[in-house]
Amino acid sequence: MKKVLFSILFAVFAIATHAQTFPTLKGTTLDDKSIILPQAVAGKYSILILTYSAKASEQIAPWFDNLYDYFIMDPDYDMNLYVVPMITGAKSLIAGKIEKQLKKSVQQGYQKHFVLYQGDIEEYKKTLRLDNKDVPYLFLLDKSGKIVYQAAGQYSDAYLDKIEDKLPE
């Protein structure tokens, strides 16, 4: 009887903690291609880094550089990597200026990895728990678009190991 009860409790816990699917996010890459996440990354593990303030965006370079070198440049991995600056609220009025500035500052070969989102952020803040606008948020999605790992804050090499631990063998 105890085994049956334990099995039922374990099943309920597993269902309650089941990975959440990343919400649909429509944007445009810096090389001017429309993209819908997570549909566009289906079939591959993918790393998405979201920011919605200038202070958080200033912290992107170490995240992007290290993740790109470690996961994208290594032929042993077949992954996607996208940085998603979220232009919301009053910043929408200067979206064109922000886009021009980003296109100027992001190297041509990397522009396909940057997706500009313009629109309401409230759904994403609530669903993804984007509580602190001053930090970047990382999401590792499995092949079906489910979030299997998330982190927030400044880059640390420890994140590479945590991401790698969540990838299939």
Side-chain angles (χ1 to χ4, degrees), residues 15-109:
I15 291 168
T17 60
H18 190 261
Q20 166 190 356
T21 300
F22 191 86
T24 300
L25 187 146
K26 296 177 183 179
T28 305
T29 62
L30 289 181
D31 63 350
D32 298 318
K33 294 188 175 45
S34 293
I35 189 168
I36 300 173
L37 299 169
Q39 292 88 334
V41 297
K44 285 187 178 185
Y45 271 74
S46 301
I47 299 170
L48 308 179
I49 304 168
L50 279 59
T51 66
Y52 64 102
S53 76
K55 188 171 183 177
S57 294
E58 291 168 2
Q59 300 173 54
I60 288 300
W63 277 106
F64 181 80
D65 293 343
N66 286 288
L67 293 169
Y68 186 88
D69 290 346
Y70 198 85
F71 294 110
I72 305 303
M73 293 301 293
D74 187 333
D76 291 337
Y77 296 103
D78 185 24
M79 296 180 66
N80 294 301
L81 171 62
Y82 288 103
V83 174
V84 183
M86 303 178 87
I87 302 170
T88 64
K91 291 182 286 183
S92 295
L93 298 173
I94 58 167
K97 183 177 178 181
I98 293 170
E99 182 176 358
K100 275 185 181 179
Q101 185 179 9
L102 283 169
K103 283 183 176 185
K104 194 184 270 189
S105 64
V106 175
Q107 288 180 343
Q108 191 72 27

